[in-house]
Amino acid sequence: PFLENVILHNKFLSGEYNTTFIDQSPELFVFPKRKDRGTKMLSYIGATTVNGFEGTSHRKKPALPKPREPVVKHSEPIPNGTKQLLDAQGPEAVAEWLKNRKEVLYTDTTFRDAHQSLLATRVRGKDLEHIAEPTARLLPNLFSVEMWGGATFDVSYRFLKEDPWKRLLNMREKMPNMLFQMLLRASNAVGYKNYPDNVIKEFVEKSAQAGIDVFRIFDSLNWVEGMKLAIEAVRETGKIAEAAMCYTGDILDPSRPKYDLDYYTSLAKELEDAGAHILAIKDMAGVMKPEAAYQLVSALKETINIPIHLHTHDTSGNGIFTYARAIEAGVDVVDVAASTMAGLTSQPSASSLYYALEGNERKPNVDVQAYEELGHYWHDIRKYYQDFESGMMAPHSEVYQHEMPGGQYSNLQQQAKAVGLESRWDEVKHMYRRVNDMFGDIVKVTPSSKVVGDMALFMVQNDLTEDDVYEKGESIDFPDSVLEFFQGYLGQPYQGFPQELQRIILKGKEPLSVRPGELLEPVDFKDLKENLFQKLDRQVTSFDMISYALYPKVFMDYHQFYEQYGDMSVLDTLTFFYGMRLGEEIEVEIEQGKTLIVKLVSIGEAQPDATRVVYFELNGQPREVVIKDQN
Ligand code: 3PY
Ligand code: ZN
């Protein structure tokens, strides 16, 4: 606009100015050459071939077969499912319908929590979308498919360089019969901190518009005050508000009375009163023992009138037993994953539970054979992501001691490795529990679990004992997340903060006693949109806008990647993570009906400035890109 104003100015138009510097400065006419899509893509493939992908071992691209997939008739109509019930009759009708089912219902988590917990959330949209339609055809009797939210949102942008909204919209098209479920961290949305109220409302509204039907809402401290706004925002969209209480402690252990049966029944009642259509019990670490599940679900059935949805992780190996007891007590829905993406830190296996319920009147109404076939796809695709496996190979009953959530275990392990604590991992796990106890025995789930993890790492790294913290705490600089937690920026823990520790950590800073969202300035979306328009130099969608409000830096980094390389979500997964083998030829469909054929011909010697020329053929024409070798 500035330049336009200049050339339209009357002095410019009438020639009353001196432009001789233009004639004398030929460099003004040298413009950066805008790279075409093909060259951008080759730059990405070249860079990944030479330097590897963050988080994968830098090794030669593995040769893996195409995943097997079930045969389905694409020409036939997709059978109706619960989505049609919600759309026609609304959330209360769905809740009523659920309560009247004899069989237990399934939510399939393969598309979200299973890979968040087993593969560091790294499964790409392309691989999820590929199996979406067969799943919709083969499993129309599921209650819902959990496929969005939690960590998938930022990991999409941050590591996979793809737009999470596109994933949602694409899958929505392929699964028109399924209720889509997401995990919403209440006032933390899909982030790790509290956001202003209007950001939460806008995010919920946009997610509902893009296709989410069931919002599982939890607060990382089970603080109902922090959940009400999100519950209300979901109710206003006409979608299903599933309020979750996070299971912590052990109701069977009388020596640990903080989170006893009464705690949970009162919490459930509060959530029902706050407007929940469904109650979720979120056992994020998988520490709910079978008998506890039976007692808890039985007590809740006596207390509330809304359906109950149970979520656990199979870390200890007891998941099926826990579900079986909960089902006996009348739980309405349970979370499961396709068998080849189940078990360990993921959810229990859908087909194992099916067989475990053989002869039981509550056996789920799903096609177990179809589930097994879908499992073949996941089995094969999982191999593409082997660099992200946690290494846990057997049931891990230690979880009952450290209580780390399934989604955190492998992450914290990576963090420990990054700061040189790989060989002290046992100490970190032990410290995690010590920190929990120091903090007053708190709910540990994103983001409060991150605070506990940060503190545990910090203490092990600095060889600090619990006594050191109390004795020398005044002179210790604690991690920011710990400081913010004790200031009340994540909300208020049940029964408050331990006061002495809070005093030591805050060093005179005043803690909040109100809801953090009340204090945060609302975001001016109009302003933000203009600002973003200047930055992106293109039309700004309302999805971009809310993503930027949640994660400004992550979003801008993604944008910069996109400018440099283009849309790399079109690449097949092995090429995306490992680049290409010498002599290999691949086809890339960059848009419908437009395919590029890429061959990697050779890689030149490293030059003194550490660059290498990578030689390709693009649709038969020679092309080269210069890559900085970072090894
Ligand atoms: C998340 O918040 O991402 C979780 O999965 C918590 O269990
Ligand atoms: Zn979970």
Side-chain angles (χ1 to χ4, degrees), residues 315-333:
T315 315
S316 72
N318 284 333
I320 296 282
F321 190 13
T322 294
Y323 276 172
R325 292 290 280 150
I327 290 165
E328 217 178 311
V331 81
D332 300 278
V333 194

Side-chain angles (χ1 to χ4, degrees), residues 109 112-114 116-117 146 183 216 282-286 311-313 335 345-347 405-407 445:
T109 64
R112 201 285 298 181
D113 204 4
Q116 179 170 329
S117 301
E146 194 209 33
L183 185 65
R216 176 174 292 163
K282 180 171 163 57
D283 179 19
M284 59 280 171
H311 172 84
T312 194
H313 288 252
D335 281 7
T345 52
S346 173
Q347 274 63 63
V445 62

